[in-house]
Amino acid sequence: MDIIANYGFELVLLAGLFGFFMAWGIGANDVANAMGTSVGSKALTIKQAILIAMVFEFAGAYLAGGEVTSTIRKGIIDAAYFVDTPELLVFGMVASLLAAGIWLLVASYLGWPVSTTHSIVGAIVGFAAVGVSADAVTWSKVGGIVGSWVITPLISGIFAYMIFMSAQKFIFNTNDPLTNAKRYVPVYMALAGFILSLVTIKKGLKHIGIHFSTSEAMLLSIAIAVVVGILGVIAIKRLKVDPAADKKMHYASVEKVFAILMVVTACCMAFAHGSNDVANAIGPLAAVVSIVENGGEIAKKSTLVWWILPLGGIGIVAGLAIFGRRVMATIGQGITHLTPSRGFAAELAAATTVVLASSTGLPISTTQTLVGAVLGVGMARGIAALNMGVIRNIVISWVVTLPAGAGLSICIFYMLKGIFAG
């Protein structure tokens, strides 16, 4: 308790700095994932993608990032083990933020799309298991995360494969692709409107105290889907295309329609991502602030101090703008060649998987969902369309993330303990 009373300000300052660094890592790695398909398919330039992500990620993080956050992410550790020594939890959370931030910096430099959620979870597990007690970790939750490495990409890959193949069947492989695009693309737009509004309502709005029941969220999403579908019909009718042009020109025109669609999906995914994943950086930071302010008492939930959410939002935006290009290139160009229709199939599949996982409580990573979806689109064109070397590196980086976060966190935890506790 004396440590918290004597060094409270210094510990909060360190947590704030490392929390910003962690948010910067989320921006450089995770947000680049969300925008990579749009850039890779040439629906957006890198500058446009960064601008869109800046606006929507910050809006998601700041407006819907949560007034209250769980002090311990995903219930991974048992707070009961820290009641008598709250300073150990403070050291651990500070160490976890720095450890996860370092790993995300390394992964982003190498162009590896890794999971920010798994980075912070690995770091928290590491310091708790080695620095406190192996019993302090809820190992069943860790097992669920490891299981999600296979389940999440598989689900989103199957969805992406189905969406892409349906577009091939109903639009691209027909005698009149443009007429069929005018007929079916509004249906895809309505589906995208439904899924993405459901993501935003279920994942974003609950943080700002707007709670909808599942049936209310469904009805509202259906209403939005109908409006989006009608707007789609109007927008596509206004497209001026020469009907006498050859099929190749028609294909290019159809891709233009999908490019518009991709911009919408990118905006919604950025908002949902900002509202959800900012908690990876601000959760541990909020825990430190709460423990210091309450003189060592550990609360299950902690109300956010006014400066925490903007700190997370600005960190995410800065990371993307400064260092996001490498991971964008891996997702958008490294795995398989993307066009707007393929990129749309991948993004819609990823969003659908996020909605399903949120409602079932499956611990998922946005990154792994999107990578799985891009793989699914590539598989639809045959195994030769996939760059197996890049895929191998991505899978290795996923496996390394938990132990890398844990190892770094343990070292930093003992350093902090040595500095402050002597």
Side-chain angles (χ1 to χ4, degrees), residues 54-280:
M54 280 170 136
V55 173
F56 285 91
E57 285 278 345
F58 186 80
Y62 186 62
L63 299 175
E67 287 298 312
V68 173
T69 185
S70 298
T71 48
I72 296 162
R73 291 290 288 147
K74 313 280 183 200
I76 281 292
I77 55 174
D78 184 354
Y81 283 84
F82 301 92
V83 171
D84 297 327
T85 52
E87 67 274 10
L88 292 184
L89 185 57
V90 171
F91 297 154
M93 288 301 179
V94 173
S96 297
L97 285 170
L98 180 56
I102 291 169
W103 172 243
L104 289 173
L105 176 67
V106 171
S108 302
Y109 176 77
L110 295 168
W112 290 349
V114 297
S115 165
T116 52
T117 307
H118 295 177
S119 304
I120 194 74
V121 165
I124 290 172
V125 166
F127 94 79
V130 176
V132 183
S133 163
D135 297 332
V137 178
T138 314
W139 292 105
S140 59
K141 297 256 182 174
V142 180
I145 288 168
V146 173
S148 74
W149 290 345
V150 178
I151 296 162
T152 310
L154 188 66
I155 295 170
S156 63
I158 291 166
F159 280 141
Y161 181 88
M162 285 159 60
I163 294 165
F164 178 68
M165 291 308 280
S166 69
Q168 290 291 308
K169 184 177 182 341
F170 294 124
I171 299 171
F172 290 99
N173 294 345
T174 58
N175 294 326
D176 192 353
L178 197 62
T179 304
N180 285 314
K182 288 181 177 179
R183 184 180 302 151
Y184 291 111
V185 167
V187 177
Y188 287 116
M189 290 181 89
L191 182 62
F194 174 72
I195 295 292
L196 292 160
S197 49
L198 206 53
V199 168
T200 310
I201 292 163
K202 295 290 281 180
K203 295 205 87 168
L205 299 183
K206 66 177 181 185
H207 294 304
I208 46 173
I210 301 174
H211 293 280
F212 289 101
S213 67
T214 305
S215 54
E216 286 170 339
M218 283 288 211
L219 285 170
L220 189 57
S221 300
I222 289 166
I224 293 167
V226 170
V227 172
V228 169
I230 292 165
L231 289 173
V233 171
I234 296 164
I236 290 163
K237 273 187 177 165
R238 294 176 68 178
L239 266 181
K240 296 282 182 281
V241 184
D242 179 11
D246 66 356
K247 216 173 191 183
K248 201 171 180 184
M249 283 299 292
H250 281 202
Y251 282 148
S253 305
V254 173
E255 289 292 0
K256 272 185 199 163
V257 176
F258 276 105
I260 297 163
L261 210 46
M262 276 210 75
V263 176
V264 178
T265 55
C267 294
C268 295
M269 279 300 279
F271 183 88
H273 178 268
S275 69
N276 190 52
D277 276 30
V278 72
N280 289 328

